[in-house]
Amino acid sequence: MSCRQQLVILGATGSIGLSTLDVVARNQEQFAVFALAAGNNSELMAQLCIAHQPRFAVMADDSAAAKLSQHLSGSGCKTVIRSGIAAMSELAAHPDVDAVMSAIVGAAGLIPTLSAVEAGKKVLLANKESLVMSGQLFIDKVKQHKATLLPIDSEHNAIFQCLPSALQGSKTNAQLHEHGVSKILLTGSGGPFLTCDIASLKDVTVAQAVAHPNWSMGQKISVDSATMMNKGLEFIEAKWLFNCQANDIEVVIHPQSIIHSMVQYQDGSVLAQMGNPDMRTPIAHALAYPQRIDAGVTPLDFSQLADFTFTKPDFARYPNLQLAIAACNAGQGATTTVNAANEIAVQAFLQGQIGFTDIYRINAQTLDTTVDVNVHTLDEILECDRLARLQATQLIAKVVR
Ligand code: NAD
Ligand code: MG
């Protein structure tokens, strides 16, 4: 019997999923793929099944699962094919599974990720939207079920690495300042529109918005990086992961994306985690934690680094960042709402229905017009998410008309 860690990868066909499989393939003596899950890219899933021979593969629906089955017929691949969120949740909680990579994009990742948490798994969290959406509930479940939560988002992984070990892993209720931390410095590149004329933002195309200068990522997070809503979601994510308040976190623009975030201590020390912008570093860190493994990442060569610059974000350029920070201060109803509205608005932008600057208008108006209800239980969270999506969709219909 091997004692390899058995992994479930939710969102296997995406940018994070493929990077995870790359790290796994480099470290096969330590990791085995138990199950892969994805939306509807059956052809790519078939290739992944042939390459990695998982015990299970799950597609979002029956039609994608049927296509996967066709692609695999005659291949000799013994992977059992299933479909739907319930199957993903069941496999994420399977007794043979050690760790679950949560890398589905958007709110669709919430239920299978919570399932892994409730089964006390090691949960590698890339899907920031699930934590933004459910906040306290998510963290309470991590503690209640003694799950291990490790951040994959490069900034949060960097912060995790720079924190004292007593604060790593969401298992403690300790406050940052009790361990000498004075501030979390959350860095962001500023995306592709850092220096363009603000007046020109209303005309940017989808191709321009998804062309991130430093990172290669899925479409939704690429647009979020261009609006800096990504940094706003990360701000909320940091609040939950590191048990801190909004005024403990400062956003710093660092266009080179070499420093992935920093932790400032009361004695004046600042610890930074650095590396080339390649998600295989945080993925390998979390997979092997507390060990270190090869990630296939090109080592940083300081003789090749030209500038290292830092500025404050300009909220006139990035109103979505300001909106998300305000939502973070307002509470769970607001963060669930802004996350849901943003998913709908970004999708409408990607489909050419609204302009780039309309994303902020839809998000802000949805937040303004959604009644502030109590949002604590999973049912309340899902209802808040549903209402915000409905409201954002109606607002978009007005823009389109
Ligand atoms: P992506 O678009 O490349 O991949 C998304 C994955 O989710 C795909 O495998 C897709 O099939 C799957 N998926 C979509 N809807 C689904 C559904 N209903 N059911 C099951 N699977 C579904 O996105 P990505 O860039 O890999 O990002 C994934 C997550 O990781 C996001 O939450 C993102 O914010 C986060 N993240 C990504 C990066 C990055 O560098 N790409 C960095 C930090 C955080
Ligand atoms: Mg990030």
Side-chain angles (χ1 to χ4, degrees), residues 10-17 37-41 59-60 85 88 102-106 108 126-129 152-155 215-221 224 230 234 279:
L10 304 169
T13 57
S15 167
I16 294 287
N40 52 24
N41 190 343
M59 302 304 294
I85 286 284
M88 292 180 201
S102 165
I104 291 174
V105 59
N127 176 220
K128 66 194 89 186
E129 295 93 339
I152 295 298
D153 217 342
S154 57
E155 295 77 4
W215 297 96
S216 152
M217 309 181 286
Q219 289 219 307
K220 193 247 171 193
I221 184 173
D224 284 348
N230 183 51
E234 291 182 355
M279 288 307 292

Side-chain angles (χ1 to χ4, degrees), residues 322-375:
Q322 191 174 30
L323 192 69
I325 293 173
C328 184
N329 280 310
Q332 189 64 66
T335 52
T336 305
T337 298
V338 84
N339 177 65
N342 184 60
E343 264 187 66
I344 296 292
V346 169
Q347 192 182 31
F349 170 69
L350 285 169
Q351 289 168 352
Q353 293 171 342
I354 61 172
F356 183 73
T357 46
D358 291 329
I359 298 173
Y360 167 72
R361 288 174 42 212
I362 301 296
N363 291 344
Q365 285 176 25
T366 305
L367 210 48
D368 274 353
T369 47
T370 307
V371 233
D372 199 11
V373 283
N374 268 341
V375 180

Side-chain angles (χ1 to χ4, degrees), residues 193 195-204 314 316-317 356-357:
F193 307 130
T195 55
C196 74
D197 180 3
I198 292 181
S200 70
L201 284 175
K202 64 180 190 339
D203 301 315
V204 305
D314 172 3
R317 183 178 296 279
F356 183 73
T357 46

Side-chain angles (χ1 to χ4, degrees), residues 17-206:
L18 295 175
S19 291
T20 305
L21 286 166
D22 182 277
V23 177
V24 166
R26 290 167 194 277
N27 296 278
Q28 290 184 32
E29 67 299 338
Q30 292 190 52
F31 305 101
V33 182
F34 180 84
L36 297 176
N40 52 24
N41 190 343
S42 307
E43 202 174 335
L44 180 52
M45 181 61 109
Q47 292 169 21
L48 299 179
C49 287
I50 290 165
H52 298 278
Q53 301 286 327
R55 265 170 67 187
F56 296 94
V58 195
M59 302 304 294
D61 57 37
D62 290 347
S63 116
K67 287 198 188 102
L68 175 59
S69 165
Q70 277 166 22
H71 286 302
L72 284 178
S73 72
S75 69
C77 179
K78 294 197 177 62
T79 300
V80 176
I81 299 170
R82 301 189 55 185
S83 70
I85 286 284
M88 292 180 201
S89 298
E90 183 192 318
L91 292 170
H94 193 285
D96 292 352
V97 168
D98 300 295
V100 176
M101 167 59 77
S102 165
I104 291 174
V105 59
L110 178 68
I111 299 297
T113 305
L114 285 181
S115 171
V117 168
E118 285 165 354
K121 302 299 184 194
K122 180 161 114 177
V123 178
L124 317 184
L125 187 71
N127 176 220
K128 66 194 89 186
E129 295 93 339
S130 59
L131 183 54
V132 169
M133 190 179 166
S134 66
Q136 190 71 58
L137 175 109
F138 191 114
I139 294 297
D140 286 349
K141 282 187 187 291
V142 167
K143 292 193 173 126
Q144 183 188 346
H145 300 281
K146 298 190 167 51
T148 301
L149 184 59
L150 294 166
I152 295 298
D153 217 342
S154 57
E155 295 77 4
H156 305 74
N157 185 270
I159 294 160
F160 182 97
Q161 293 195 48
C162 296
L163 281 175
S165 55
L167 290 176
Q168 291 177 337
S170 297
K171 285 199 170 136
T172 158
N173 289 316
Q175 302 276 313
L176 294 182
H177 58 82
E178 293 167 28
H179 290 266
V181 173
S182 56
K183 200 160 242 184
I184 284 175
L185 299 169
L186 181 68
T187 57
S189 69
F193 307 130
L194 176 61
T195 55
C196 74
D197 180 3
I198 292 181
S200 70
L201 284 175
K202 64 180 190 339
D203 301 315
V204 305
T205 64
V206 169

Side-chain angles (χ1 to χ4, degrees), residues 151 156 159-160 163 174 176 184 237-244:
H156 305 74
I159 294 160
F160 182 97
L163 281 175
L176 294 182
I184 284 175
E237 182 186 15
K239 172 196 144 111
W240 292 116
L241 282 175
F242 307 119
N243 188 30
C244 60

